[in-house]
Amino acid sequence: MLRLIVLTLVILFAGFYSPAQVRIFVKDAVSGKPLPSANAINANNGSVYVAASDGRIENQDITKGIVLTISYVGYKAKSITVVEGDNIALLEADYLLMSDITVIGYEDNRKLNEIAAAYAIAPAATFRRFGDDSMVRPMNTLPGIRFEERSPISYRVSIRGSLLRAPFGVRNVKVYWNGIPFTDPNGNSPLNAIDMNNIGSVEVIKGPAGSVFGAGMGGVLNIKGESVVANPVSASDWLRTGFLRLSKLICQHQYLFQ
């Protein structure tokens, strides 16, 4: 009986004093999708850990305070210092290192090297470098593309010399918003209806080769929205924030309590 009691106490204490669980989730910084098979290198002993299919890295050797270098093919490597609980590592795509890009058109996957076209990308960093009032300056950083704005948010788009224009939009250019056709059936693309604050990046296929995605001999613009990663808020954080706001309000109006 005494042995059973001692064994029970040992199990209970082992459960109470077990080290905190540490997990790392590797995700794409733009889309928030997990990056399976991403590598994490331990800076202390050189051990390498591989992410699961959901982008999760979990190992008993990964403890609080160690430094991990997270890498994935086609993405910029990133170093993080591990903290207790869940750690989220957001990797940014490195377009200069990406050797193979797959574009989708009418349910037909085609690799970039299979399309006889020039391809250009304006990443989110380019849009954040300029103001949020117009697409002209960030898009004009791409070669072979000319954006003009004759009046506020009234664009003219020239891709390799193609400059057809509709009264209230751009013609001869196929525009997609997160993979959904944005160009109306008449071939008109009202770019002025897109809020600059919602643009994450823009992919461009120049010239007639973009016709594999539909009518539009000038090219294709695939505009991607900026993804938002929600931060979880616990009940204790909510109560603490509310208490701080209440304290600040009382201090500002303390004369009411005199």
Side-chain angles (χ1 to χ4, degrees):
M1 184 65 180
L2 181 59
R3 292 181 178 179
L4 181 60
I5 295 175
V6 173
L7 181 60
T8 304
L9 292 175
V10 170
I11 294 175
L12 290 175
F13 279 106
F16 283 121
Y17 292 99
S18 60
Q21 189 177 24
V22 176
R23 296 181 298 182
I24 294 92
F25 292 91
V26 185
K27 299 182 178 181
D28 184 282
V30 177
S31 64
K33 295 181 179 179
L35 301 177
S37 302
N39 293 332
I41 301 177
N42 191 333
N44 297 335
N45 54 22
S47 299
V48 179
Y49 314 100
V50 181
S53 58
D54 57 352
R56 174 174 48 86
I57 300 176
E58 190 174 6
N59 191 286
Q60 61 182 2
D61 296 335
I62 301 177
T63 57
K64 175 184 176 181
I66 69 173
V67 178
L68 295 177
T69 301
I70 313 295
S71 61
Y72 190 75
V73 177
Y75 287 77
K76 298 178 181 179
K78 182 177 183 180
S79 297
I80 64 171
T81 301
V82 178
V83 299
E84 293 183 359
D86 294 343
N87 298 257
I88 300 178
L90 300 177
L91 301 185
E92 296 182 355
D94 191 344
Y95 299 107
L96 297 179
L97 295 178
M98 296 180 70
S99 59
D100 205 21
I101 299 177
T102 301
V103 293
I104 301 174
Y106 291 130
E107 301 180 349
D108 182 18
N109 296 344
R110 295 190 179 215
K111 296 182 179 180
L112 179 60
N113 58 9
E114 296 176 355
I115 298 178
Y119 192 78
I121 298 176
T126 302
F127 283 89
R128 298 300 164 260
R129 186 172 58 187
F130 301 98
D132 58 355
D133 57 337
S134 174
M135 296 177 62
V136 173
R137 285 176 292 177
M139 292 303 298
N140 281 340
T141 61
L142 302 177
I145 299 173
R146 178 67 179 174
F147 262 62
E148 297 179 359
E149 190 174 16
R150 298 301 177 90
S151 60
I153 61 174
S154 178
Y155 298 110
R156 290 174 181 254
V157 181
S158 174
I159 301 179
R160 290 191 168 183
S162 174
L163 191 58
L164 293 182
R165 175 170 168 77
F168 301 101
V170 176
R171 297 187 65 86
N172 206 33
V173 175
K174 193 74 173 181
V175 180
Y176 286 82
W177 171 259
N178 292 324
I180 301 174
F182 187 77
T183 304
D184 62 27
N186 294 326
N188 180 38
S189 300
L191 290 179
N192 57 312
I194 300 178
D195 188 354
M196 280 290 298
N197 294 311
N198 294 330
I199 298 178
S201 62
V202 178
E203 301 174 353
V204 183
I205 294 181
K206 307 174 189 177
S211 60
V212 297
F213 295 91
M217 299 299 290
V220 176
L221 297 179
N222 183 21
I223 303 175
K224 295 184 178 181
E226 184 175 14
S227 63
V228 178
V229 180
N231 296 322
V233 179
S234 62
S236 59
D237 293 338
W238 183 80
L239 291 174
R240 182 167 59 253
T241 303
F243 178 76
L244 292 175
R245 290 180 179 177
L246 180 61
S247 301
K248 184 178 180 180
L249 183 62
I250 293 175
C251 292
Q252 292 176 349
H253 301 84
Q254 57 181 349
Y255 63 88
L256 296 176
F257 301 93
Q258 296 177 352

